[in-house]
């Protein structure tokens, strides 16, 4: 069951645009701060916060399909 869940998560992430998936993974998997992500991606702090918020919303929606 855990393998199925991991596979489903991977498929869901694959369906997301890079602009949303990358900052989400940087935050949740790599444990980077919002500021570190902003610096790494060369975008503003507010852009990072918005992208992660949108990414989480999209992930929930896609995962639930």
């Amino acid at each position: 069951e855990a393998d199925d869940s991991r596979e489903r998560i991977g498929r869901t992430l694959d369906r997301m645009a890079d602009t949303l998936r990358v900052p989400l993974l940087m935050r949740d998997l790599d444990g980077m701060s919002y500021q570190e992500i902003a610096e790494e991606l060369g975008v503003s702090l507010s852009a990072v916060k918005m992208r992660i918020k949108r990414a989480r919303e999209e992930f929930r929606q896609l995962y639930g399909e």
Side-chain angles (χ1 to χ4, degrees):
E1 188 174 310
D3 288 337
D4 290 340
S5 180
R6 274 190 227 111
E7 186 177 321
R8 186 173 174 200
I9 290 168
R11 283 194 313 267
T12 301
L13 289 169
D14 287 344
R15 293 173 61 192
M16 296 174 68
D18 288 345
T19 55
L20 298 180
R21 181 179 64 245
V22 170
L24 179 66
L25 294 176
M26 292 171 87
R27 177 70 181 163
D28 291 346
L29 290 183
D30 298 335
M32 295 174 71
S33 71
Y34 289 106
Q35 186 62 45
E36 290 171 326
I37 296 167
E39 291 170 6
E40 183 74 24
L41 297 179
V43 298
S44 70
L45 183 60
S46 61
V48 169
K49 290 178 179 181
M50 185 54 67
R51 288 179 188 185
I52 291 173
K53 178 185 181 299
R54 289 181 181 154
R56 288 184 174 140
E57 290 169 352
E58 183 173 312
F59 181 88
R60 283 187 207 104
Q61 188 255 330
L62 291 172
Y63 190 80
E65 290 180 353

